[in-house]
Amino acid sequence: MVTVTMTVNGRQVSKEVEDRRLLVDFLREDLELTGTHVGCDTSQCGACVVHLDGKAIKSCTILAAQADGTSITTIEGLANGADLHPLQAAFKEHHGLQCGYCTPGMIMSGVDIIRRHEGQLDEDTVRHELEGNICRCTGYHNIVKAILAAAQEMHGEVRQAAE
Amino acid sequence: MAQDGIGARVARKEDKRFITGKGRYVDDMRVAGMKHVAFVRSPYAHAKVGGINSEQARNMPGVLAVLTGSELVADGIGNLICGWMVHSKDGTPMNMGAWPALAPEVVRFVGQAVAMVIAETRGEARDAADVVAVEWEELPAITDPAKALGEGVPQLHPEAKGNLIYDWEIGDKAAADKALSEAAHVTRMEIVNNRLVPNAMEPRAALAQYDAADDHFTLWTTSQNPHVARLVLSAFYNVAPEHKLRVIAPDVGGGFGSKIFIYPEEVACLWAARKTGLAVKWTGDRSEAFLTDAHGRDHVTVAEMAFDANNRITAFKIDTIANFGAYMSLFSSSVPTYLYATLLSGQYDIPTIHCNVRGVYTNTAPVDAYRGAGRPEATYVVERMMETAARELGVAPPELRRTNFIREFPHQTPVIMNYDAGDYEASLSAALSASDYAGFGERKAEAARRGKLRGIGLSCYIEACGIAPSQAVGSLGAGVGLWESAEVRVNPVGTIEVLTGSHSHGQGHETTFAQLVAERLGVPIDNVSIVHGDTDKVQFGMGTYGSRSGAVGMSAISKAIDKVEAKAKKLAAHLLEAAEGDIEIADGEVRVAGTDKKLGWHEVCLAAYTAHNMPEGMEPGLKEGAFYDPANFTFPAGAYVCEVEVDPDTGHTEIVQFVAADDFGRVINPMIVEGQVHGGIAQGVGQAILEGCIYDAESGQLITASYNDYAMPRAHDLPSFKVSTTETICPSNPIGMKGCGEAGAIGTPPAVINAITDAIDNNDLSMPATPEKVWRALRAGAAPMRQAAE
Ligand code: FES
Ligand code: FES
């Protein structure tokens, strides 16, 4: 057993967990933050993406112990109080979700993509950088649309896809 | 019309909880004292189960119980059933082997469960499952359905001699043979429809609780039809009596058919909850999903199509072998028969059709309905044949289709279906113009200058949704009626709760169903809430699959609204001292037509509950229910055009344009309909170029058992799609809807393969058309597939 301490969605938490506890299970089971999902056991689907010290990671791929001392943001911590994050709002407006299961991971990945590119995104880049996330419902069409729209809103402009 | 009523692109009401991480899926549920289950699964495709030694497992930390198949059988838990009886052409009922929820004696596919471990944590349960010692005696396995019918091969079930489940036919064989022998041209093809894994992103899960004080069970499960689950679990599996079993299917993370069926794990968890007195939860991981979710498709077909000298089809003859895997899943028997062969007329006027289907057992996971269920297999056969015939005849593919389109409705096909309405020319024209089909030659030449092979492919599909009058499906062998129920509860303040037997797992019912109510009763959609997925709340329902929720589920709601409306009008007429026929309900008001006399909607609702002043004999309250049994199937149809570029050096296919023009009848929310089409196209593209479920032919091991090996479509595998709808109103239901959920998965695969075969000028290509296969086909030096230049 090991004691881990981290900041999750702005709140400091400290718990004793099994050495082998994955971060995703720590979030879902120990902290009851069930918005982060598990869709696979091979780190392929991205349903579990959260931010660790501001970077998108697959929470099924690291141990809770490895996240000791870090700051984690999950889908539950993305909105600013009652105000949705612009990408959350864009997913709703552009119908970027159906069953909603991949959605938390998609949004966390999308925020990271937008941030890394400072909003300078085109369709090709978004599609390429979403390769770690699988959605079985939407065909990605509207997810891509939502990410481009939020990027534009957050950073003012989007480069058009080169034809 | 209410501004968020029928036809409005309203953002979904349900989205807020999903985008903020507040969705409630089964694995998110926890109840007091809950323990965890892990299953002990077979590593062999075919084996005898000897002794099971669980002593070491029982001594592992946290372990509370290990239960086995023989205990389950001894407790009288019934075998899993197939709910649709299909008869062979000689009149005999299908040959079905027994499928116990935990196998006590023989396992017939890799991953079949033989025992379950209950422990304090999921990790402890899994650790202990690993050390349960089973004495396996491996038996020879067979995975290829055609070979399974041969001599001297492993026999799976004593009940099914030669591994044959049924030998079924439809149509007129003699007439088809005669037409084929007299034809001016015959197109003949061997066509394989590849096996797929549904891969809903949420793995299946079950949480079972038994309350001994009340002798009452609760099951939370990832189901598309909780009421059918309750019915089957109680009536056939003996795990709980129906009136003491509550089944809840909360938020469900996608189904695509795979969550229609009742699975062994649900049966075993309910049984274990009572046996141990513990609330138990099982959540499958992705590997278990690959091994044990019902797979889809898996047909091997030989098809022959006869044409006269005017290029009109005179007959169509089809011989199909359908692989059912190791057991008959809940609706599996109907998929390659009544859901497949009855659609083989496509959009065409074909005077004679004959189809023979042999259902076969193999040592693979059970196969059942997957998005489209039979209709994609039919469309793939018809549309690959049409494109190929056009090439052989030297006719442009759209022309050959036009020549043979059904143009008058209703149209009776030779294979049961009576198409009620359609305009196939309209969707074809829309698709051809949206794709600039006419300008393709230039684009092909331009691509050639860049060293790329450009191809274009067409597919004109039809499907049958809203399945179907209960009496009709009953006469074909269905074990259930296929109606839907609804209840509309108007509250005293005028807000409305709609209870529906449909189940939403991504289709947006909470929004579209509310739009219908808003349209009809003139209230904002935020004043309407949709209740579904809980057998304690909704009286009964048949669930969601086969694109039935709109055409059947919403029709039931519409019928209940009729009754609410009638009562509200009667009451309002009384209150306003007007004639009932003059009352109209709109914009939140109940008015006397042509006057300024009116009441607010909420005032009428309140009056129904205060009951101080009602017409003679009227009961208080404003709550009505209805059951709706469809009068016919509905027949969505459409035309898809796919344009690809193949890299001749690598065989890699890029989809450069994808156009869909669908006729879904009346559309409630175009945004949601487009989303359904996008998702369907993605699954269709997946089938065409990426996805394939492969078993090792010798050992029966599943080779594609993870996302490392099974190629799921990702964002960069797909383009953005151009989708649009044309509209012929469905005359068979009160809303005029046909259904849109499966179209994309049905229409897409032939369009993609027709495009690739066009690009590489070689028709000998099977799905999935991986770069390797395309590369090989390009180098195979096959004879040019066109008789005449286009
Ligand atoms: S659950 Fe982490 S990538 Fe699938
Ligand atoms: S919305 Fe269902 S998996 Fe993406």
Side-chain angles (χ1 to χ4, degrees), chain A residues 24 37-49 57-61 132, chain B residues 201 286 707:
Chain A
V24 67
H37 294 155
V38 178
C40 71
D41 33 41
T42 49
S43 288
Q44 307 276 319
C45 78
C48 63
V49 171
I57 56 140
K58 290 182 170 175
S59 62
C60 71
T61 310
Chain B
M201 290 313 297
R286 186 56 54 186
Y707 289 149

Side-chain angles (χ1 to χ4, degrees), chain B residues 489-494 563-564 566-572 574-575 599-615 618-624:
Chain B
R489 293 182 185 165
V490 183
N491 295 315
V493 291
K563 296 183 192 176
V564 164
K567 184 167 180 183
K569 281 184 177 173
K570 198 166 189 179
L571 176 57
H574 174 78
L575 296 170
L599 289 166
W601 165 252
H602 58 285
E603 293 176 280
V604 178
C605 301
L606 186 63
Y609 284 90
T610 57
H612 295 162
N613 179 15
M614 301 190 99
M618 181 181 276
E619 284 179 18
L622 194 51
K623 180 192 98 163
E624 301 287 345

Side-chain angles (χ1 to χ4, degrees), chain B residues 387-568:
Chain B
E387 200 94 352
T388 301
R391 290 166 183 171
E392 289 175 354
L393 292 164
V395 183
E399 258 341 287
L400 187 69
R401 288 174 169 92
R402 283 191 170 114
T403 303
N404 287 284
F405 273 158
I406 294 162
R407 292 178 189 273
E408 277 171 28
F409 296 89
H411 173 86
Q412 177 65 53
T413 73
V415 281
I416 297 183
M417 292 302 179
N418 191 281
Y419 299 168
D420 54 4
D423 184 346
Y424 308 141
E425 182 64 48
S427 43
L428 177 60
S429 302
L432 294 179
S433 80
S435 64
D436 185 21
Y437 195 89
F440 171 73
E442 255 167 62
R443 297 193 294 278
K444 186 178 174 76
E446 185 278 329
R449 288 196 286 278
R450 285 184 284 111
K452 294 284 166 64
L453 304 170
R454 203 162 173 123
I456 197 161
L458 186 61
S459 153
C460 295
Y461 76 91
I462 188 161
E463 60 171 321
C465 298
I467 165 177
S470 295
Q471 197 185 351
V473 296
S475 73
L476 301 178
V480 286
L482 287 169
W483 40 264
E484 195 46 87
S485 84
E487 194 176 306
V488 174
R489 293 182 185 165
V490 183
N491 295 315
V493 291
T495 57
I496 299 163
E497 285 150 86
V498 176
L499 289 79
T500 167
S502 300
H503 184 277
S504 184
H505 31 281
Q507 297 91 339
H509 295 175
E510 288 170 45
T511 306
T512 45
F513 287 17
Q515 286 181 261
L516 171 67
V517 181
E519 172 85 20
R520 292 284 306 276
L521 297 178
V523 296
I525 59 167
D526 285 339
N527 288 5
V528 183
S529 54
I530 306 299
V531 179
H532 73 100
D534 183 342
T535 60
D536 258 19
K537 293 183 178 163
V538 179
Q539 193 222 330
F540 212 96
M542 299 309 297
T544 288
Y545 39 86
S547 300
R548 67 191 302 276
S549 297
V552 190
M554 286 176 92
S555 292
I557 296 172
S558 174
K559 267 187 78 179
I561 295 173
D562 289 345
K563 296 183 192 176
V564 164
E565 210 172 37
K567 184 167 180 183

Side-chain angles (χ1 to χ4, degrees), chain B residues 259-276:
Chain B
K259 292 170 181 169
I260 304 173
F261 326 117
I262 322 306
Y263 285 91
E265 292 86 357
E266 290 159 300
V267 179
C269 286
L270 270 175
W271 165 66
R274 168 131 190 214
K275 197 171 178 70
T276 62

